[in-house]
């Protein structure tokens, strides 16, 4: 029986670790104020970084940066006033995805990133079609019995140093990428996940743009 990193399908995938920071106005979905991404491939026996991207994002008037947002991320309204719009920032990221290349997005609690991307899908249609791997169910499968599976808990378990600017998108992408690589190594060494299909079955999440649209019950 083979192992995960020996699987040709696994080695063919470009894994894109992604993270958003957001502000959440009352009555509206979360609005992105920062995005970062790091593309990784496993080849020649190890990980290779294929590219990085990071951008501040100017939120709409309906979603101003609050003191609570600044306390968590360090980002201020002044910093974001001249930032790229969502169309500019996410459009630039979208253009990094090459047609015909197999991708999987990687995120801690992927539903959060999936919702942001889906709500911004008009600006990033290619990105919005990429499915996810969620590090939480992957960690639960490979490291059962932890008190919880929050990012800080997993960083501590794997002795990954806390970044000084935790809750900035670029810093969270960095540590999430390290966590994902540790989990893949553990899966490879334990033999618990033998191929990409098993990895996706355990930790995969379908992008909302790839889900079938259910019509109204009484549509005519």
């Amino acid at each position: 029986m083979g192992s995960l990193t020996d699987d040709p399908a696994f080695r063919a995938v470009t894994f894109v670790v992604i993270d958003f920071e957001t502000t959440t106005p009352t009555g509206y979905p979360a609005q992105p104020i920062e995005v970062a991404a790091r593309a990784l491939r496993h080849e020649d026996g190890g990980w290779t970084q294929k590219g990085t991207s990071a951008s501040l994002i100017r939120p709409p008037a309906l979603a101003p940066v609050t003191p609570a947002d600044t306390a968590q991320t360090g980002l201020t309204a002044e910093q974001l006033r001249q930032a790229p719009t969502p169309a500019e920032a996410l459009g630039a990221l979208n253009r990094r995805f090459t047609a015909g290349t197999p991708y999987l997005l990687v995120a801690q609690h992927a539903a959060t990133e999936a919702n942001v991307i889906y709500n911004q899908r008009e600006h990033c249609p290619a990105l919005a079609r990429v499915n996810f791997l969620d590090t939480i169910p992957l960690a639960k499968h490979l490291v059962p019995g932890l008190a919880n599976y929050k990012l800080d808990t997993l960083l501590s378990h794997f002795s990954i140093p806390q970044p000084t600017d935790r809750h900035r998108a670029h810093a969270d992408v960095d540590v999430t990428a390290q966590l994902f690589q540790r989990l893949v190594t553990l899966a490879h060494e334990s033999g618990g996940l033998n191929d990409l299909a098993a990895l996706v079955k355990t930790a995969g999440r379908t992008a909302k743009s790839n889900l079938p649209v259910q019509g109204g019950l009484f549509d005519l």
Side-chain angles (χ1 to χ4, degrees), residues 3-219:
S3 62
L4 178 59
T5 57
D6 294 326
D7 177 27
F10 177 88
R11 295 201 305 270
V13 171
T14 298
F15 298 93
V16 181
V17 185
I18 192 165
D19 183 77
F20 287 92
E21 300 302 328
T22 63
T23 182
T24 306
T26 302
Y28 293 92
Q31 301 294 313
I33 57 175
E34 187 177 32
V35 63
R38 176 175 299 177
L40 302 168
R41 286 278 298 274
H42 196 282
E43 52 192 10
D44 299 325
W47 290 98
T48 301
Q49 183 172 293
K50 295 298 184 179
T52 61
S53 177
S55 179
L56 298 178
I57 302 174
R58 186 192 330 155
L62 61 85
V65 174
T66 67
D69 296 327
T70 299
Q72 174 157 300
T73 66
L75 293 171
T76 66
E78 181 62 31
Q79 285 176 281
L80 297 172
R81 192 164 289 122
Q82 300 302 320
T85 65
E88 292 167 338
L90 296 178
L93 178 57
N94 189 76
R95 290 189 291 273
R96 304 286 293 271
F97 288 79
T98 304
T101 299
Y103 294 100
L104 282 171
L105 298 176
V106 178
Q108 170 80 4
H109 194 254
T112 300
E113 271 59 43
N115 284 334
V116 173
I117 292 171
Y118 183 75
N119 291 332
Q120 299 289 334
R121 62 193 181 279
E122 65 180 302
H123 306 313
C124 51
L127 172 63
R129 290 285 184 181
V130 182
N131 293 328
F132 276 87
L133 292 176
D134 192 330
T135 52
I136 292 178
L138 182 57
K140 286 181 177 180
H141 179 81
L142 295 168
V143 194
L146 296 184
N148 61 65
Y149 290 84
K150 297 177 181 178
L151 181 56
D152 290 340
T153 301
L154 293 170
L155 297 182
S156 177
H157 177 81
F158 285 101
S159 300
I160 299 170
Q162 279 270 358
T164 56
D165 47 358
R166 176 85 168 84
H167 297 298
R168 288 294 302 273
H170 60 87
D172 286 358
V173 157
D174 179 60
V175 292
T176 302
Q178 292 183 58
L179 171 63
F180 177 63
Q181 291 173 65
R182 300 286 185 90
L183 291 169
V184 167
T185 296
L186 185 58
H188 173 83
E189 292 175 346
S190 68
L193 299 171
N194 296 312
D195 53 25
L196 180 66
L199 177 63
V200 170
K201 182 177 180 180
T202 299
R205 298 290 182 264
T206 302
K208 284 190 170 186
S209 291
N210 293 332
L211 294 173
V213 177
Q214 183 174 350
L217 185 60
F218 299 107
D219 284 351

